[in-house]
Amino acid sequence: MSAIDDTLVADVFDLAAQRVEAATGLTFAGLRRRQFDAALERMAAALGLPGAAACASWLLAGPWDDARSDLCARFLTIGETYFLREPRALDLVCNQARALLARRAARPLRIWSAGCCTGEEPYSIALALRRDVPQLPPGRVDILATDLNDAFLDVARAGIYRRWSFRRTDPADLAPFVRPLGDGRYEIDAALRAQVRFARLNLADAVYPSAATGTLAQDVIFCRNVLMYFGPAQAERVVARLRDCLVDGGWLVVNASEASTRLFRGFTPVYLEDAVFFRKDALPAPEPAPVPVPVPVAPAVVPPVPARRSEPMPATAPSAPVAADDAAMARVHALAQTGGREEALQCLRRAVEAAALSAPLQQRAALFALEHGDRALARHCVRRLLYLEPDSAFGHYLWALIEDAAGRRPRARSLLRDCRRLAGAGAGAGIDAELDGAAAQWLERLS
Ligand SMILES: C[S@@+](CC[C@H](N)C(=O)[O-])C[C@H]1O[C@@H](n2cnc3c(N)ncnc32)[C@H](O)[C@@H]1O
């Protein structure tokens, strides 16, 4: 290809990345740009197009539609989620339910899981309410769960999961809301499933708050591990709209690492060790006071008292090393949001060396590095992870992603096979417990 051709192709890629960002919010600035270019190749294969340039042209041609959004959601995000993630957020929901009952309010409790992925998050919310606030009739709970990716929503509606979706808890402890099917899979109780309304909603579209999308007057909105895919301007717009969807005093739950200083105007932050909650201020937002960088610290505002402190939920508050890992990753994500990706990656490199013996940190660092286009660093962290935990199925999965991103598909395929074997052996849950959601799609892509 001539230099002119190269330049033209690069221009088309740039335009396609800009269009994807405008339509879905998914940003590919900085180092993530390389990830976009690599994904174009895989998207082209899925569409039966001859290559990345043809795929970029397809993304640019004609009006934006669901098919384009689906493809982007499928190839440009990683659907990492599991049951009972961050139990304190579930305590928060239960306490909102108790407060509603105490006020003798007639209206339902409204919860929205925005970016619900394959449904583990909204089902965890329904389950926690049924189990911990049984006095609230199911008919008085309205749980909306939305995502950009229709394939994820189909998995969610089916309500059948593998052991890997319960990686921080034992599904046997969740009976009768979760029951084994006897083949390594688990089914969500039909009554619980009926409590969750799944719908497609693109958070980058200005379709909320609205009665049509059922997003009005929410008590709690979960938007965890989604804002990190957006650029700062888009994230700010999304947070502002989500704020408009909340009742006064309602809560927005994000991942601690997404709580950047600039985003949350009109909210009061509550920092916990493993989560940040933002309470919508009743009064019009004052000039934004500088919000501290989101290093987890003791709560500045006392949140509703967790209901079952004496009976910790399966994933308990983190131990000291885990809290240190959280703090390190929080700094990295905060820098990615505000300071730029290079600073974030430098901070990550320091964290990776400081916590050389922490397998969880190496795993999270590998994922971050991969998502931000630093394959060398991702590989370094995965090597460490597999040195510390040679049988880590997730480590093999990440390694497969790295090999795939480098274009080494046979190697990626073989690693995914190892991942399946290890997940099956480790979790005792059938051959491909690891391969729910995005991982399964990855395998499909590589096959
Ligand atoms: C990492 S998952 C988070 C799952 C869950 N919230 C949790 O924390 O366990 C991110 C999800 O955000 C979704 N997503 C990405 N961009 C989106 C958009 N513009 N609108 C709605 N969902 C989006 C992805 O499809 C994916 O399911």
Side-chain angles (χ1 to χ4, degrees):
M1 211 188 288
S2 72
I4 292 177
D5 287 343
D6 277 348
T7 312
L8 282 177
V9 167
D11 285 351
V12 173
F13 283 17
D14 275 346
L15 289 171
Q18 283 164 24
R19 187 161 201 217
V20 168
E21 179 162 4
T24 66
L26 302 171
T27 188
F28 295 94
L31 294 175
R32 285 196 72 196
R33 197 28 230 284
R34 269 184 281 162
Q35 190 191 349
F36 178 74
D37 294 0
L40 280 177
E41 280 294 346
R42 296 191 297 268
M43 289 156 88
L47 290 169
L49 293 173
C55 182
S57 304
W58 178 79
L59 286 168
L60 286 167
W64 189 266
D65 57 8
D66 285 355
R68 287 170 173 79
S69 286
D70 276 347
L71 199 76
C72 292
R74 190 173 149 205
F75 285 90
L76 301 175
T77 68
I78 295 178
E80 160 71 355
T81 186
Y82 50 87
F83 277 88
L84 303 185
R85 195 174 194 179
E86 288 166 17
R88 286 199 211 203
L90 300 176
D91 288 343
L92 175 81
V93 170
C94 291
N95 283 310
Q96 292 300 100
R98 291 188 191 95
L100 195 78
L101 288 169
R103 287 201 306 274
R104 297 181 188 282
R107 69 173 184 83
L109 180 75
R110 296 191 196 89
I111 316 287
W112 177 15
S113 164
C116 66
C117 199
T118 38
E120 286 87 337
E121 181 175 88
Y123 286 138
S124 297
I125 295 167
L127 191 153
L129 283 168
R130 289 288 288 280
R131 185 184 61 184
D132 299 343
V133 196
Q135 62 276 33
L136 183 70
R140 288 199 49 203
V141 178
D142 179 17
I143 303 175
L144 171 67
T146 62
D147 203 277
L148 177 65
N149 186 340
D150 268 331
F152 285 170
L153 291 170
D154 287 343
V155 173
R157 286 190 189 99
I160 293 176
Y161 296 93
R162 297 189 181 279
R163 183 67 177 79
W164 181 244
S165 288
F166 302 93
R167 50 192 173 275
R168 294 285 175 89
T169 185
D170 184 346
D173 293 342
L174 304 180
F177 305 110
V178 175
R179 65 180 186 91
L181 290 175
D183 58 358
R185 298 180 306 157
Y186 296 82
E187 185 175 41
I188 306 301
D189 165 62
L192 207 71
R193 283 212 308 274
Q195 271 188 269
V196 182
R197 227 164 6 103
F198 289 100
R200 181 193 180 109
L201 188 145
N202 180 354
L203 288 166
D205 287 344
V207 293
Y208 60 100
S210 71
T213 51
T215 48
L216 297 175
Q218 301 295 315
D219 291 287
V220 185
I221 300 176
F222 286 68
C223 188
R224 291 187 301 184
N225 305 298
V226 182
L227 298 174
M228 63 191 200
Y229 289 112
F230 300 155
Q234 182 63 263
E236 212 168 312
R237 281 194 292 275
V238 169
V239 169
R241 274 191 223 119
L242 293 177
R243 184 180 181 279
D244 290 341
C245 294
L246 285 167
V247 295
D248 285 342
W251 293 86
L252 176 61
V253 178
V254 302
N255 186 308
S257 59
E258 294 169 307
S260 104
T261 51
R262 272 178 275 168
L263 283 182
F264 297 93
R265 290 175 192 160
F267 286 97
T268 301
V270 176
Y271 293 105
L272 300 176
E273 280 175 352
D274 55 353
V276 184
F277 306 148
F278 289 91
R279 192 185 55 213
K280 179 176 173 177
D281 293 333
L283 299 170
E287 258 318 285
V291 178
V293 173
V295 177
V297 293
V301 175
V302 180
V305 180
R308 304 174 75 244
R309 267 296 149 255
S310 55
E311 277 178 73
M313 296 174 87
T316 50
S319 60
V322 175
D325 288 354
D326 283 347
M329 289 309 296
R331 273 193 294 276
V332 170
H333 282 276
L335 278 169
Q337 287 274 352
T338 55
R341 286 183 170 72
E342 200 37 58
E343 288 92 331
L345 286 167
Q346 266 166 18
C347 181
L348 186 69
R349 278 182 208 109
R350 286 195 295 273
V352 160
E353 296 316 312
L357 295 180
S358 165
L361 187 280
Q362 300 299 325
Q363 180 173 307
R364 291 163 73 179
L367 197 57
F368 183 96
L370 195 58
E371 282 174 352
H372 289 78
D374 192 335
R375 230 160 41 215
L377 181 57
R379 182 183 293 277
H380 177 72
C381 299
V382 166
R383 280 216 180 103
R384 281 256 176 86
L385 170 62
L386 291 175
Y387 169 77
L388 296 166
E389 289 183 0
D391 291 339
S392 162
F394 200 72
H396 282 77
Y397 170 53
L398 289 171
W399 192 0
L401 297 188
I402 293 167
E403 293 297 322
D404 181 41
R408 290 188 283 271
R409 292 190 149 205
R411 181 77 186 119
R413 244 182 253 124
S414 138
L415 283 161
L416 274 175
R417 275 194 294 276
D418 290 344
C419 158
R420 294 173 69 151
R421 180 179 48 74
L422 289 164
I431 56 159
D432 57 353
E434 178 87 5
L435 297 175
D436 281 346
Q441 290 178 20
W442 216 282
L443 184 68
E444 191 187 296
R445 248 178 263 162
L446 289 170
S447 310

